[in-house]
């Protein structure tokens, strides 16, 4: 997992397609962008999401894609854990590249202009609040490995 600000994307210029995803996030105005799923290339797409954070969510992981989750407005907690933690698979949807788990996680607060890169070895539980729900706008760039 990497947690950083869009101001520092050049620190990750050696990450190939992931860096391309970071540049796309930094160079695109998402404030008025429509919500939905959009293709960028054969190996990359993005989703613009709007929602209210909530006290709990499912813990998930992916095998084929890296997530770059970037907060545009609002803030949220993304709880994380390493894939080798003690866990139980609760649901699996390989055709959608998502597995859901029951496991202990650690909360990380992510605010506007910040992003989290989540590798396939990072379990994550996005969209959380530690208090009152907050309206959040987020872009998730998915980069196929």
């Amino acid at each position: 997992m990497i947690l950083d600000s869009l101001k520092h994307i050049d620190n990750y210029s050696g990450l190939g397609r992931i860096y391309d995803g970071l540049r796309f996030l930094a160079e695109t105005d998402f404030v008025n962008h429509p919500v939905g799923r959009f293709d960028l290339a054969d190996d990359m797409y993005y989703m613009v999401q709007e929602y209210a954070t909530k006290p709990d969510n499912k813990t998930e992981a992916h095998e084929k894609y890296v997530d770059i989750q970037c907060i545009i407005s609002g803030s949220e907690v993304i709880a994380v854990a390493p894939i080798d933690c003690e866990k139980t698979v609760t649901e699996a949807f390989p055709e959608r590249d998502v597995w859901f788990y029951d496991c202990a996680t650690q909360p990380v607060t992510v605010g506007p202009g910040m992003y989290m890169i989540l590798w396939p070895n990072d379990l994550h539980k996005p969209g959380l609040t530690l208090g009152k729900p907050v309206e959040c706008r987020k872009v998730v760039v998915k980069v196929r490995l």
Side-chain angles (χ1 to χ4, degrees):
M1 174 203 75
I2 295 173
L3 174 67
D4 208 335
S5 165
L6 288 174
K7 295 181 232 174
H8 305 133
I9 66 166
D10 288 333
N11 292 339
Y12 306 98
S13 61
L15 293 181
R17 297 297 283 152
I18 293 168
Y19 178 64
D20 294 342
L22 291 171
R23 276 198 0 249
F24 171 74
L25 286 168
E27 296 170 358
T28 306
D29 178 10
F30 288 105
V31 174
N32 297 308
H33 194 291
V35 171
R37 183 189 186 279
F38 307 89
D39 290 328
L40 281 172
D42 289 342
D43 61 347
M44 189 182 310
Y45 66 93
Y46 68 100
M47 299 173 293
V48 179
Q49 305 170 334
E50 287 184 344
Y51 51 87
T53 57
K54 52 190 174 183
D56 200 14
N57 205 355
K58 294 179 178 181
T59 303
E60 63 186 66
H62 315 286
E63 289 184 355
K64 297 178 184 173
Y65 285 86
V66 170
D67 277 7
I68 308 171
Q69 299 198 13
C70 182
I71 304 300
I72 305 305
S73 63
S75 63
E76 72 175 45
V77 171
I78 301 175
V80 294
I83 196 77
D84 61 355
C85 67
E86 187 172 319
K87 63 190 177 302
T88 304
V89 174
T90 59
E91 295 178 275
F93 301 95
E95 69 282 0
R96 292 181 12 221
D97 190 41
V98 65
W99 285 258
F100 294 105
Y101 296 92
D102 181 25
C103 67
T105 56
Q106 295 294 317
V108 178
T109 302
V110 186
M114 296 177 68
Y115 62 87
M116 186 178 281
I117 299 174
L118 297 151
W119 309 96
N121 60 340
D122 295 320
L123 299 177
H124 52 285
K125 185 188 297 192
L128 303 177
T129 184
L130 290 178
K132 184 178 174 184
V134 173
E135 290 299 317
C136 192
R137 179 175 260 262
K138 176 168 73 175
V139 178
V140 178
V141 176
K142 306 281 277 185
V143 181
R144 187 174 174 89
L145 295 175

